[in-house]
Amino acid sequence: MAEQVGYSQKVMEHFMNPHNVGVIEDADGYGKVGNPVCGDIMEIFIKVKDDRIEDIKFRTFGCGSAIATSSMVTDMARGKTLDEAMTITRNDVATELDGLPPRKMHCSNLAADALHEAIKDYRSRQGA
Amino acid sequence: MERIYLDHAAAMPVDPRVLDAALPYLTEKVGNPSSLYNEGLTAKSAIEEARGRVADLINAEDTQSIIFTSGATESNNIAVRGTALRNIRTGKKIAASTIEHISVINPAKDLQKSGFAFDRIPVDAMGVVDLEALNGIVTPETAVTSVIYANNEIGTVEPIPEIAGIVHDRGRYLHVDATDAAGRIPIDVQRDGIDLLTLSGNQLGGPEGIGALYIRPGVREQPVIFGGGQERGLRSGTENLFGIVGMGEAARIAGADMQGESRRLAGIRDRLIERILTIDEAYLTGHPVKRLPHHASFRFSRIEGESIQLAMDMYGIAVATGSACTSRTLEASHVLLAIGLRHEEAHGSMIATLGRSNTMEQVPMVVDAARETVKRLRAITPL
Amino acid sequence: MERIYLDHAAAMPVDPRVLDAALPYLTEKVGNPSSLYNEGLTAKSAIEEARGRVADLINAEDTQSIIFTSGATESNNIAVRGTALRNIRTGKKIAASTIEHISVINPAKDLQKSGFAFDRIPVDAMGVVDLEALNGIVTPETAVTSVIYANNEIGTVEPIPEIAGIVHDRGRYLHVDATDAAGRIPIDVQRDGIDLLTLSGNQLGGPEGIGALYIRPGVREQPVIFGGGQERGLRSGTENLFGIVGMGEAARIAGADMQGESRRLAGIRDRLIERILTIDEAYLTGHPVKRLPHHASFRFSRIEGESIQLAMDMYGIAVATGSACTSRTLEASHVLLAIGLRHEEAHGSMIATLGRSNTMEQVPMVVDAARETVKRLRAITPL
Ligand SMILES: Cc1ncc(COP(=O)(O)O)c(C=O)c1O
Ligand SMILES: Cc1ncc(COP(=O)(O)O)c(C=O)c1O
Ligand code: FES
Ligand code: FES
């Protein structure tokens, strides 16, 4: 009945111990998105082998949900084919995290976009 | 793990002495203060006694110059809207500093819809009101000029007597929001030249849901809320007896304890500031000297404040932040922008406001937690 | 001498169970409900739980349809001013019964200054709204029509579902002031067809300084007080956590206890009315049957209410009066005039509103005191 208060347990887990943090120096694809409204910035690096995401890392400047969605999307994408990874939506990420506060759904749920940018970057480098 | 609470500017526990004094007015000493039966007279006396105590704290010339409201937000609304509308013959202009609380800014913006001009007075990089600019902006048509006594986000204390001098030379009334300053530093409305002063009950150690507005005798006001005509017609509604008695007692205690307690907190504050500033790319916001004794505020480059708040909480420490990400509108703090920070810089703010439960012994724990927090968040930042 | 308190409609002691539930939020469980640290989340949860309990009491379709305010006066102001201004395209008309509380009437009068027409809906001699007149007065331009659920001076309960039918046929929104009715008789905003409903915390057995406004989902509102945007932007100001939790608990208790307690009080009320009416030239005001279970109101010819109140107090009994002499404006009660009493008749009013501390055993004492009081005052009246 009452509206959810604060972040879900899952968001807090990912926030406190984010997975796949860092930089891939020789990345095959790189995506960076930012939200001009509140200023969050996310970047995702991918390493691709046989059309699959073999390695993935991120760095994020932003709030709890910005960090948690980045961590979650990298988990979700790892091991997927590029086509599969392209189908991951912002909503999927939020759902996997057991939801986000409504206010945060649009502004700091950009991780899927960063992932898609990285894949597009990879594809354009392949000249596809 | 014992928690360390450092957000007293947002909400404070009620002083146990206040509770003792005010609780009977919730249970036994209940009656309509406008009625002449016994319980009503008791209630009325209690209210007038509380009014006197609040008047004493700020050296008001007349107890009747204090009206009780539902809180600082409402006091600010009356001071801005009520003064402007009642003194419309002065002119359709109002002015306020760029670092006022949003409960001053938003009623001022609302008046713009009714044709009022709303002028903003800039502050310098430390948050001090620019007196020359003030002198240029305020005119005889400015019915009310609003300047915060000390800002809640950056702690800077304004030179109110000088500001009052200019406002009275140039314009009409000076309203001062003393929500965070009262009970921390000595306020004297007569010495300071203040026409209207906002006070919060909770910020004095009293309950929430109660506040007061000092109105210098002779200043004309109109209400924002209309009804039964309580509080000289300026704040209708059955009196919040528990809140009023509590705020009165809190004002009395604040007056008696202020000197000692403020000195104690300033000691903790100074140590905290000194130690936090040893963290890489950590900066103080607000004035290094002219600041509230219980207030320490910072920014850390390249990280964001909501994350700071969440991480500090994991270490058992409650702090505030002015980050856009925690605001309802997701906009950067107008206060941090007003002191000249860029959006990215305004993001990484952390505010600690001290109170009775805080001790010098807590400082190392807070500093260690902050250091760890900054390290963690910097490890994942792309900036 | 044990005192008998019969002015529960003015101010009520807080239920001890409410105190137990709410006190921790004054002392330990303190934090900014907008913040994400532990104390903030606890505060936020407590607020949302309280909101749910208030919603349940009136069968609101959505907990978010409840906003907390500083009391019934403020809720009425938002319901009248906020609705009228936000729905100005509907038309610049508002309507209210002639027996509304002054916190409905005065904001309506203030709107007249902004060009609104303010139409009054008459009531009959028992205080029941004239449905035919209502049908004639409300038009498609009437943005909000305000009718009290049950009047505080005469106890009459209005036929709200019928009124809602007419208002929705003819005009726009129906606002109902349920300050005195809630927790006494069952209210169901969906069944009753209410768009906006005013509730008082204290009248439910909670603290003073807290109230609520139910706003049917889809009804557009604007705030009266501007600031930080709490309560969906409709009531800015740091949340009064103690008040909110207290009001929530009071709503829960009221829902659970209402049937039994109202029946008990109605028994006392009926006996009191029966016995008081044996006094010479004593009359019931308001409806003999459709009245609040805890409400007994009278008038005595040829004597004046302030004197009645003072004399009853000498016998240890606290009662209210609608006499001009006790009002701030020294005007006769608009409610008593609206039911057709002449000025002289309106003078001699005595109102008894019952609560938990009252018992059947007190009735003879009250009646004896009233009889003596009337005798005394009649002995010196020239009328
Ligand atoms: C400077 C200042 N003014 C006004 C207010 C509003 O106080 P309240 O929310 O208690 O109404 C605050 C609240 O934090 C404040 O810091
Ligand atoms: C019917 C009614 N509405 C509104 C109010 C205003 O309530 P408050 O004074 O608690 O704001 C009262 C107060 O007695 C009342 O009886
Ligand atoms: S990064 Fe600002 S709200 Fe998430
Ligand atoms: S008779 Fe005295 S005020 Fe009315």
Side-chain angles (χ1 to χ4, degrees):
Chain A
M1 186 177 56
E3 165 188 356
Q4 183 193 320
V5 166
Y7 285 130
S8 72
Q9 192 79 36
K10 260 213 184 129
V11 170
M12 288 310 294
E13 279 164 24
H14 279 269
F15 167 73
M16 280 312 283
N17 293 299
H19 307 168
N20 311 311
V21 172
V23 173
I24 302 175
E25 293 297 349
D26 55 344
D28 300 323
Y30 170 73
K32 179 173 177 179
V33 296
N35 181 334
V37 179
C38 75
D40 49 354
I41 297 166
M42 296 176 185
E43 55 184 14
I44 285 186
F45 306 82
I46 54 173
K47 197 90 189 130
V48 179
K49 192 173 180 193
D50 300 336
D51 212 40
R52 272 183 199 278
I53 295 177
E54 187 190 42
D55 195 11
I56 180 164
K57 289 209 184 313
F58 82 92
R59 292 194 306 185
T60 289
F61 167 83
C63 66
S65 70
I67 290 168
T69 52
S70 311
S71 169
M72 178 54 86
V73 86
T74 52
D75 270 0
M76 289 168 76
R78 181 181 289 280
K80 285 214 166 55
T81 67
L82 295 180
D83 282 344
E84 285 165 354
M86 278 305 281
T87 66
I88 297 173
T89 66
R90 291 183 183 194
N91 261 333
D92 296 338
V93 180
T95 306
E96 279 299 311
L97 286 166
D98 297 337
L100 287 175
R103 197 152 48 102
K104 298 276 171 136
M105 277 303 280
H106 298 294
C107 102
S108 30
N109 191 1
L110 301 176
D113 301 9
L115 170 67
H116 299 164
E117 288 304 316
I119 294 169
K120 281 186 213 153
D121 175 54
Y122 166 78
R123 284 181 167 159
S124 73
R125 289 195 211 179
Q126 304 306 304
Chain B
M1 182 174 56
E2 191 221 340
R3 289 195 50 95
I4 301 178
Y5 184 72
L6 296 177
D7 196 13
H8 290 82
M12 281 219 288
V14 171
D15 191 296
R17 293 167 287 179
V18 167
L19 263 193
D20 283 348
L23 272 183
Y25 293 90
L26 281 177
T27 48
E28 310 136 34
K29 299 185 170 180
V30 167
N32 184 353
S34 308
S35 279
L36 294 169
Y37 52 66
N38 204 281
E39 294 82 352
L41 300 178
T42 306
K44 177 81 174 143
S45 305
I47 289 174
E48 294 314 313
E49 192 177 332
R51 206 186 298 285
R53 289 173 170 189
V54 174
D56 284 349
L57 180 68
I58 58 169
N59 193 31
E61 48 273 82
D62 180 353
T63 52
Q64 296 308 307
S65 61
I66 304 293
I67 64 162
F68 288 107
T69 68
S70 69
T73 291
E74 186 179 6
S75 296
N76 281 344
N77 273 257
I78 300 173
V80 173
R81 180 180 178 81
T83 312
L85 291 180
R86 183 69 180 75
N87 296 279
I88 206 160
R89 288 214 190 134
T90 301
K92 287 183 91 170
K93 279 180 71 177
I94 45 180
S97 89
T98 49
I99 59 167
E100 293 308 297
H101 191 259
I102 192 161
S103 56
V104 164
I105 294 177
N106 281 352
K109 282 187 182 169
D110 185 63
L111 283 172
Q112 290 181 307
K113 293 188 207 150
S114 316
F116 277 80
F118 172 27
D119 296 316
R120 322 283 178 112
I121 306 146
V123 298
D124 69 16
M126 294 185 175
V128 179
V129 162
D130 181 335
L131 298 182
E132 254 182 64
L134 177 73
N135 194 53
I137 287 169
V138 174
T139 76
E141 288 73 45
T142 310
V144 57
T145 302
S146 199
V147 176
I148 198 164
Y149 213 116
N151 181 273
N152 49 307
E153 277 184 63
I154 55 174
T156 303
V157 178
E158 301 298 334
I160 296 297
E162 286 86 335
I163 291 170
I166 295 172
V167 169
H168 292 145
D169 271 358
R170 306 275 302 138
R172 192 92 190 244
Y173 298 129
L174 173 65
H175 165 242
V176 175
D177 178 356
T179 299
D180 297 87
R184 306 296 186 174
I185 56 178
I187 292 178
D188 181 328
V189 290
Q190 299 187 67
R191 172 202 67 193
D192 294 346
I194 294 168
D195 300 302
L196 299 139
L197 186 92
T198 290
L199 294 169
S200 150
N202 184 239
Q203 286 303 303
L204 291 173
E208 280 172 346
I210 189 79
L213 181 65
Y214 159 80
I215 305 170
R216 179 186 294 287
V219 175
R220 290 170 311 170
E221 278 300 324
Q222 80 174 46
V224 167
I225 287 182
F226 300 86
Q230 289 89 343
E231 297 298 296
R232 296 200 282 130
L234 290 175
R235 209 311 174 166
S236 290
T238 302
E239 294 85 346
N240 176 355
L241 195 53
F242 167 75
I244 290 173
V245 173
M247 181 164 179
E249 182 65 6
R252 190 191 64 72
I253 294 171
D257 292 5
M258 177 156 44
Q259 240 196 333
E261 179 67 357
S262 285
R263 189 172 308 140
R264 186 183 79 85
L265 295 182
I268 304 175
R269 174 202 66 182
D270 290 342
R271 175 81 62 86
L272 183 64
I273 292 177
E274 182 205 314
R275 304 303 305 148
I276 292 277
L277 293 186
T278 65
I279 297 173
D280 211 30
E281 289 180 83
Y283 305 93
L284 187 73
T285 58
H287 204 284
V289 181
K290 293 179 206 151
R291 63 184 302 130
L292 290 171
H294 69 308
H295 196 289
S297 55
F298 309 93
R299 69 175 187 81
F300 303 100
S301 302
R302 299 186 289 117
I303 61 177
E304 184 279 326
E306 184 196 291
S307 312
I308 298 173
Q309 186 179 64
L310 285 169
M312 291 294 281
D313 184 56
M314 294 292 152
Y315 296 106
I317 299 165
V319 292
T321 173
S323 165
C325 303
T326 57
S327 78
R328 252 178 215 87
T329 52
L330 297 175
E331 279 168 25
S333 152
H334 67 280
V335 174
L336 300 179
L337 297 183
I339 58 172
L341 297 190
R342 281 173 292 138
H343 273 77
E344 318 83 86
E345 294 171 334
H347 258 297
S349 99
M350 179 177 100
I351 305 163
T353 43
L354 308 169
R356 288 201 189 269
S357 68
N358 297 128
T359 61
M360 200 58 106
E361 285 64 51
Q362 293 172 337
V363 172
M365 291 181 260
V366 176
V367 175
D368 286 350
R371 198 183 301 280
E372 282 303 305
T373 293
V374 170
K375 200 162 109 191
R376 270 189 169 193
L377 296 174
R378 290 248 172 89
I380 57 174
T381 190
L383 301 179
Chain C
M1 181 174 54
E2 191 220 340
R3 290 196 48 97
I4 301 178
Y5 185 72
L6 296 177
D7 195 13
H8 289 83
M12 281 219 288
V14 170
D15 191 297
R17 293 166 288 178
V18 167
L19 264 194
D20 282 349
L23 272 183
Y25 292 91
L26 282 177
T27 48
E28 310 135 35
K29 298 185 171 180
V30 167
N32 184 354
S34 308
S35 278
L36 291 168
Y37 51 66
N38 205 282
E39 294 82 353
L41 299 178
T42 305
K44 176 84 173 139
S45 302
I47 289 174
E48 295 312 315
E49 192 177 332
R51 205 187 298 286
R53 289 173 170 189
V54 174
D56 283 350
L57 180 69
I58 58 169
N59 193 30
E61 49 273 81
D62 180 353
T63 51
Q64 298 306 308
S65 62
I66 304 294
I67 64 161
F68 289 107
T69 69
S70 68
T73 291
E74 186 179 5
S75 296
N76 282 343
N77 272 258
I78 300 173
V80 173
R81 180 179 178 81
T83 313
L85 291 181
R86 183 68 180 75
N87 295 278
I88 206 158
R89 288 216 190 132
T90 301
K92 286 183 93 168
K93 280 179 70 177
I94 45 181
S97 90
T98 50
I99 59 167
E100 293 308 298
H101 190 260
I102 193 161
S103 56
V104 164
I105 293 176
N106 280 351
K109 283 188 180 168
D110 184 63
L111 282 172
Q112 289 181 308
K113 293 189 209 150
S114 316
F116 277 81
F118 172 27
D119 296 317
R120 322 284 178 112
I121 306 146
V123 298
D124 69 16
M126 294 183 175
V128 179
V129 162
D130 181 334
L131 298 183
E132 256 182 62
L134 177 73
N135 195 54
I137 287 169
V138 174
T139 75
E141 288 74 45
T142 310
V144 57
T145 302
S146 198
V147 175
I148 199 163
Y149 212 116
N151 181 273
N152 49 308
E153 278 183 63
I154 55 173
T156 303
V157 178
E158 302 297 335
I160 297 296
E162 286 85 337
I163 291 169
I166 295 171
V167 169
H168 292 146
D169 270 0
R170 306 276 301 140
R172 191 93 190 243
Y173 298 129
L174 173 65
H175 165 242
V176 175
D177 178 357
T179 299
D180 296 270
R184 305 296 186 175
I185 56 177
I187 292 178
D188 181 328
V189 289
Q190 299 187 68
R191 173 202 68 194
D192 295 346
I194 294 168
D195 299 303
L196 299 139
L197 187 91
T198 289
L199 294 169
S200 149
N202 184 239
Q203 286 303 302
L204 291 172
E208 281 172 345
I210 188 80
L213 181 65
Y214 159 80
I215 304 169
R216 180 186 293 288
V219 176
R220 290 169 310 169
E221 279 299 327
Q222 80 174 45
V224 167
I225 287 182
F226 299 85
Q230 289 89 343
E231 297 299 296
R232 296 201 281 129
L234 291 175
R235 210 311 174 167
S236 290
T238 302
E239 294 85 347
N240 177 353
L241 195 52
F242 167 75
I244 290 173
V245 172
M247 181 165 181
E249 182 65 6
R252 190 191 64 71
I253 294 170
D257 292 5
M258 176 155 44
Q259 240 195 332
E261 179 66 0
S262 286
R263 188 173 307 139
R264 186 182 80 84
L265 294 182
I268 304 175
R269 174 201 66 183
D270 290 343
R271 175 80 62 84
L272 182 65
I273 292 178
E274 184 204 314
R275 304 304 304 148
I276 292 276
L277 293 186
T278 65
I279 298 174
D280 210 31
E281 289 179 84
Y283 306 93
L284 187 74
T285 57
H287 203 284
V289 181
K290 293 179 206 152
R291 65 184 301 129
L292 289 172
H294 69 307
H295 196 288
S297 54
F298 309 95
R299 69 174 187 83
F300 303 101
S301 303
R302 299 185 287 118
I303 60 176
E304 184 279 324
E306 183 194 291
S307 316
I308 299 174
Q309 187 179 63
L310 285 170
M312 290 294 281
D313 184 55
M314 294 295 152
Y315 296 105
I317 299 166
V319 293
T321 172
S323 163
C325 303
T326 57
S327 79
R328 254 178 212 87
T329 53
L330 297 176
E331 279 168 25
S333 152
H334 68 280
V335 174
L336 299 179
L337 297 183
I339 58 173
L341 297 190
R342 281 173 292 138
H343 273 77
E344 320 81 89
E345 295 170 335
H347 257 299
S349 99
M350 179 179 98
I351 306 162
T353 43
L354 309 169
R356 287 199 190 268
S357 69
N358 298 127
T359 62
M360 199 60 105
E361 286 63 50
Q362 295 171 335
V363 172
M365 291 182 260
V366 176
V367 176
D368 287 350
R371 197 182 304 278
E372 281 303 306
T373 293
V374 170
K375 202 161 108 191
R376 273 189 168 189
L377 296 174
R378 290 248 173 87
I380 55 172
T381 189
L383 301 180

